[in-house]
């Protein structure tokens, strides 16, 4: 009986925690440039001298690298996939890019730091220097859920010299202007928020995302305390539109990179994203479908899949989208030998 139980024991990888004080994240808006990074090392890492491909996995809004491990149990998902031979051993890197406003959107900001440069350049260089990685784009992929899915597509589209493949799970707020329009009533409460600490009040929780998006795409170093411009405001019940800010919001959105980064995107080896038909975040299904249609019309090869599920119901569970779709995708497309 003991022998049977031993034979069924799953070999476990190790999650190590490290920190980077990022040069790319120096800023005047009060964000901490010192970033925690959780790194999953496969079960045989300490027993071998071989090098491994790497997936960079980006967390969602209101989330963090530690919650990916402690709540989503992503390390156990990877362990299962390796032990069941769905994937070969690989390294998975999870940076903490939560901010004062709960999310960076993994984008370079004019006020709060260059989060895309951190994700795609400084972090990658750090990982390649400190871990046994296969340090080339063919062995490097990027993924993430929700805000992290947005960030994965954004950084892959901008940096095909760094990442060869991308898989985005329920990517959120691909078109930031469209999202703002769907949440336009939320801007009525903005006038009540005078200081950053006001965002920590329970009744203002939803406003964090408005300011986070504004900092990511409409950053303004000269506008404390939020260091961002907003596209919409209200005087009583009357809507006011700042046209130049709204246009900039659209232009800086990940959905627009399909056009501005067309030549870059064609260099990627593999692109896939998926979403749940019944996502509670109503902007996600149409935004994902629109992105897929634009890629299709531009004849950019990719995979896009709608499945029956909500924003997170099928993602992190046993035999969920991470385990049965995302990880095997990278197993198929990443190079495991130098």
């Amino acid at each position: 009986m003991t022998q049977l139980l031993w034979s069924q024991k799953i070999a476990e990888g190790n999650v190590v925690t490290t920190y980077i004080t990022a040069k790319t994240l120096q800023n005047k808006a009060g964000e901490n440039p010192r970033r925690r990074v959780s790194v999953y090392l496969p079960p045989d890492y300490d027993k071998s001298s071989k090098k491994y491909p790497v997936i960079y996995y980006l967390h969602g809004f209101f989330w963090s690298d530690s919650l990916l491990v402690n709540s989503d149990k992503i390390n156990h998902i990877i362990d299962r996939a390796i032990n069941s031979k769905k994937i070969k051993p690989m390294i998975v890197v999870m940076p903490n890019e939560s901010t004062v406003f709960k999310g960076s959107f993994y984008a370079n900001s004019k006020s709060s730091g260059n989060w895309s440069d951190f994700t795609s350049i400084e972090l990658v260089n750090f990982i390649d220097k400190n871990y046994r990685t296969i340090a080339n784009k063919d062995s490097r992929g990027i993924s993430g859920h929700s805000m992290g899915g947005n960030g994965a597509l954004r950084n892959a589209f901008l940096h095909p010299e760094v990442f060869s493949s991308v898989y985005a799970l329920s990517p959120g707020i691909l078109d930031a202007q469209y999202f703002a329009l769907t949440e336009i009533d939320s801007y009525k409460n903005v006038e009540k928020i005078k200081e950053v600490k006001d965002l920590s009040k329970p009744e203002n929780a939803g406003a964090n995302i408005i300011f986070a998006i504004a900092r990511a795409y409409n950053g303004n170093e000269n506008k404390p305390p939020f260091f961002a411009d907003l596209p919409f405001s209200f005087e009583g019940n009357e809507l006011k539109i700042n046209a130049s800010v709204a246009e900039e919001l659209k232009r800086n959105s990940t959905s627009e990179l399909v056009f501005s980064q067309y030549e870059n995107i064609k260099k990627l080896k593999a692109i896939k994203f998926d979403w749940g038909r019944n996502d509670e975040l109503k902007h996600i299904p149409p935004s994902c479908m629109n992105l897929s249609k634009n890629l299709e019309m531009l004849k950019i090869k990719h995979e896009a899949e709608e499945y029956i599920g909500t924003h997170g119901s099928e993602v992190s569970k046993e035999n969920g989208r991470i385990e049965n779709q995302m990880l095997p995708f990278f197993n198929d497309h990443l190079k495991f030998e130098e």
Side-chain angles (χ1 to χ4, degrees), residues 231-287:
F232 306 119
S233 61
F234 281 85
E235 289 182 7
N237 287 320
E238 185 180 355
L239 172 66
K240 300 291 183 181
I241 299 176
N242 187 326
S244 62
V245 175
E247 288 165 9
E248 184 183 43
L249 184 62
K250 177 75 171 180
R251 186 171 62 251
N252 288 336
S253 294
T254 299
S255 58
E256 296 303 297
L257 297 179
V258 171
F259 307 103
S260 64
Q261 302 298 319
Y262 173 70
E263 294 297 331
N264 264 351
I265 296 170
K266 288 195 298 182
K267 297 174 185 175
L268 291 168
K269 181 180 179 183
I271 303 168
K272 184 173 181 179
F273 48 99
D274 63 23
W275 63 94
R277 180 185 301 168
N278 304 307
D279 198 312
E280 308 92 314
L281 304 174
K282 299 301 184 185
H283 69 279
I284 287 182
S287 294

Side-chain angles (χ1 to χ4, degrees), residues 31-48:
E31 294 293 352
N32 188 352
R34 188 170 187 260
R35 292 284 121 186
R36 185 181 62 236
V37 184
S38 294
V39 182
Y40 172 90
L41 302 174
D44 61 348
Y45 185 87
D46 291 332
K47 303 169 191 170
S48 73

Side-chain angles (χ1 to χ4, degrees), residues 211-240:
F211 285 101
I213 292 168
R215 251 197 199 185
Y217 302 136
N218 302 118
N220 186 337
E221 272 196 342
N222 302 313
K223 204 166 182 181
F226 302 108
F227 297 96
D229 295 313
L230 295 175
F232 306 119
S233 61
F234 281 85
E235 289 182 7
N237 287 320
E238 185 180 355
L239 172 66
K240 300 291 183 181

